[in-house]
Amino acid sequence: MSKRPATLPLMLKPRPADATATRWLADALRSEILCGSLGPGARLPSTRELSAQYQLSRGTVVNVFEQLRSEGYLVGSVGSGTRVSAILPDDLLRPFRDEPSAPPAPPARVFAKFSTRVSLFNAVSTRPMRAFRACQPALDLFPIDLWTQVASRRLRRATVADLLGTEPFGYLPLREAIADYLRTSRGVQCTAEQVAVVSGMQEALDLVTRLVLDPGDRVAVEEPTYNGAIRVFEAVGAKVVSIPTDDEGITVGGARWRNVKLAYVTPAHQYPLGMGMSLCRRLELLEWARLHGAMLFEDDYDAEYRYRGHPVPALQGLDRHGVVFFSGTFSKVLFPALRLGYLVVPEDLIDRVTMAKSVVTRHAPLLDQATVADFISEGHFGRHLRRMREVYAERLGTLLESGRQELAGLLDISDIEAGLQTVGYIVGAQTGLEVEQGALKHDVEVTSLSRFARGALPREGIQLGFAAVDVPEIRRGVTGLARVLGA
């Protein structure tokens, strides 16, 4: 016969000095039920557990339970324990309803200015996947059974030290694996000591922002750009300066760059437009940062997926003066719910970032870090990456081919070299927002480029994600867009 599981401790109001144990316990339980803290059907601790918790005789608890059963508050049966009655008579609730009105509201609370500047950034959609949701990998193709095997084996081997935790920068074997991967695949110049494991891009941005920017400081961003970065900068009270982009990336120089302390850029695959930053522009940006004592934040959000052309080394790989923070995430190459990423820190700032991380997030979940380290070291990561690169290349090709067939003269789709999404520039008079709304009527999901801009853009367009859905869904989406754009 299986043992009935113990309930969680029940927190009751303190016992008044002049109240008997029986009266206090009955009143306290009755109050918890009437105010809804113990809802209908909630199971109470056993008489043995409750007597031990509050140092009462078991007979006292039994008598109180019997009293509340007779009043209709509780019900009990053999094997299921004692529970709150599913239906409470109206006359039991009347004393609670007849209580005097609530006291006057207390004075208004005063919060820090941060609370008025921060805003919700909800980038996760749980709706069914459809064309052309951007920034999403093909989660249905993730090798979940293999991941489960690796994670289970890691859990079975877990030591006391694994359960205790790790240093702020994270699990050393994972940091070593990340450093090896970044050196060989992205041209990043780093050691494991420079790699901090973070919960994702937002934490990396938050850490760097806390260290570099004070309220009123100027931070430069590409126009258009990733809204998650804007939210972080504005939350600390920084002044965000939007810098125009061209075919080579962010434009460098001019009055807008005056007194900028930090620049946020996406060199490998500009977000959301998709072009790569030219080598000449990268060197120009690095020289600007060196001359002005500023820092650069390089967001390398999905550069693992490259379909043609020669890879350009990461901006950080060209840095000779320690002015670049380099960050990436496993959300696009594994799965978003993992919430693990990395931040490569200039050597002279390792101690500062360590201290900041130690008081903010302490460290990312260690067992998850260990699982990712095993997944990489056993070769699964590389195989999965190669497989998904082939899948995404096929899906991009389908989008471009179908677009040429059905959207000619309506939408100019960019033939990007890397990433999980591209953009389509609208040929007609419709705005991106109008196309976005019209597409929903055909169960197609696109995002207007205007949502990523703080000012007017030279051309109206939409963002098109192609990685998360299969070839038939891409073709269906193109047909739906043709109806919207041709209307």
Side-chain angles (χ1 to χ4, degrees):
M1 181 176 178
S2 61
K3 184 177 179 181
R4 182 165 59 88
T7 59
L8 294 173
L10 184 61
M11 294 296 105
L12 300 176
K13 295 179 181 179
R15 175 180 170 181
D18 59 346
T20 64
T22 299
R23 178 183 174 186
W24 164 74
L25 182 59
D27 289 346
L29 290 173
R30 193 182 292 112
S31 176
E32 292 295 301
I33 294 170
L34 290 175
C35 73
S37 296
L38 286 173
R43 187 162 69 85
L44 272 66
S46 69
T47 56
R48 190 183 305 277
E49 291 169 337
L50 205 55
S51 62
Q53 181 182 353
Y54 287 102
Q55 298 181 343
L56 302 172
S57 71
R58 191 177 178 195
T60 296
V61 180
V62 170
N63 290 336
V64 169
F65 275 25
E66 289 297 328
Q67 176 185 340
L68 295 179
R69 284 194 192 97
S70 66
E71 294 176 3
Y73 289 94
L74 302 178
V75 293
S77 60
V78 177
S80 64
T82 302
R83 298 178 179 273
V84 176
S85 178
I87 301 177
L88 295 175
D90 286 344
D91 58 339
L92 296 182
L93 298 174
R94 188 175 301 115
F96 196 73
R97 291 171 177 164
D98 292 343
E99 288 183 358
S101 58
R109 295 171 178 163
V110 179
F111 294 99
K113 291 183 179 178
F114 176 88
S115 68
T116 64
R117 294 190 297 252
V118 71
S119 59
L120 179 66
F121 179 62
N122 186 3
V124 177
S125 174
T126 58
R127 299 188 302 273
M129 201 65 67
R130 58 186 174 180
F132 295 96
R133 186 172 302 167
C135 303
Q136 291 288 331
L139 298 179
D140 57 318
L141 298 182
F142 182 75
I144 190 67
D145 292 339
L146 177 59
W147 178 267
T148 302
Q149 293 173 15
V150 175
S152 298
R153 186 169 62 248
R154 168 54 61 177
L155 283 170
R156 288 194 298 269
R157 297 202 312 251
T159 65
V160 172
D162 292 333
L163 301 180
L164 183 62
T166 186
E167 58 185 304
F169 262 40
Y171 183 57
L172 183 57
L174 176 57
R175 293 161 57 200
E176 291 172 338
I178 292 172
D180 288 342
Y181 165 70
L182 293 178
R183 284 194 298 266
T184 57
S185 298
R186 297 294 302 118
V188 173
Q189 301 299 316
C190 68
T191 63
E193 286 70 28
Q194 292 175 257
V195 177
V197 180
V198 293
S199 65
M201 192 60 66
Q202 292 305 120
E203 184 188 346
L205 282 163
D206 182 64
L207 276 171
V208 172
T209 300
R210 289 172 186 264
L211 290 171
V212 177
L213 299 176
D214 285 318
D217 285 342
R218 290 164 62 88
V219 53
V221 300
E222 300 163 326
E223 175 76 331
T225 195
Y226 171 55
N227 285 322
I230 298 288
R231 302 291 177 88
V232 174
F233 301 145
E234 290 182 338
V236 300
K239 179 177 176 54
V240 177
V241 183
S242 297
I243 307 294
T245 55
D246 58 23
D247 291 341
E248 296 187 68
I250 192 169
T251 55
V252 182
R256 296 191 184 193
W257 286 90
R258 186 176 297 117
N259 298 324
V260 166
K261 292 184 65 177
L262 176 70
Y264 167 82
V265 290
T266 52
H269 180 224
Q270 201 280 334
Y271 190 85
L273 300 181
M275 69 281 190
M277 186 183 294
S278 69
L279 179 59
C280 180
R281 191 66 56 83
R282 292 170 189 240
L283 295 174
E284 188 179 0
L285 186 60
L286 287 168
E287 181 65 8
W288 167 83
R290 183 187 70 83
L291 290 176
H292 293 84
M295 299 298 297
L296 305 175
F297 187 103
E298 179 176 9
D299 183 344
D300 200 59
Y301 64 101
D302 65 0
E304 293 86 356
Y305 299 117
R306 190 168 191 87
Y307 312 115
R308 61 182 177 84
H310 297 290
V312 179
L315 183 69
Q316 193 272 358
L318 303 171
D319 180 18
R320 298 294 178 267
H321 302 283
V323 298
V324 178
F325 290 96
F326 178 92
S327 187
T329 173
F330 289 107
S331 294
K332 306 296 188 296
V333 291
L334 295 178
F335 53 93
L338 181 61
R339 301 313 311 147
L340 285 180
Y342 44 86
L343 175 67
V344 178
V345 179
E347 287 187 273
D348 62 323
L349 296 177
I350 291 175
D351 288 344
R352 291 180 182 271
V353 176
T354 299
M355 290 184 286
K357 203 170 186 313
S358 71
V359 300
V360 177
T361 56
R362 198 64 181 162
H363 63 75
L366 177 55
L367 292 175
D368 289 343
Q369 294 185 63
T371 300
V372 175
D374 293 345
F375 198 77
I376 295 174
S377 65
E378 294 171 12
H380 308 308
F381 179 76
R383 285 189 292 273
H384 177 63
L385 200 57
R386 288 191 294 272
R387 179 196 178 203
M388 300 316 298
R389 189 179 291 122
E390 293 175 358
V391 170
Y392 297 156
E394 178 190 11
R395 293 178 176 183
L396 173 60
T398 299
L399 173 60
L400 295 173
E401 178 187 2
S402 299
R404 284 191 292 267
Q405 293 173 355
E406 298 193 53
L407 298 173
L410 300 173
L411 192 71
D412 292 335
I413 302 178
S414 294
D415 184 7
I416 57 168
E417 296 183 353
L420 304 181
Q421 57 275 325
T422 184
V423 297
Y425 292 103
I426 301 168
V427 177
Q430 289 176 288
T431 67
L433 289 174
E434 288 171 343
V435 174
E436 178 184 313
Q437 293 300 315
L440 291 175
K441 299 176 183 178
H442 297 275
D443 198 28
V444 175
E445 185 174 327
V446 299
T447 305
S448 172
L449 292 182
S450 63
R451 295 192 181 275
F452 305 102
R454 297 165 69 83
L457 291 172
R459 296 183 67 183
E460 287 286 340
I462 53 176
Q463 190 180 50
L464 302 165
F466 55 82
V469 292
D470 59 19
V471 166
E473 175 63 9
I474 290 173
R475 289 182 174 139
R476 185 199 68 81
V478 169
T479 299
L481 271 183
R483 292 170 180 163
V484 175
L485 292 163

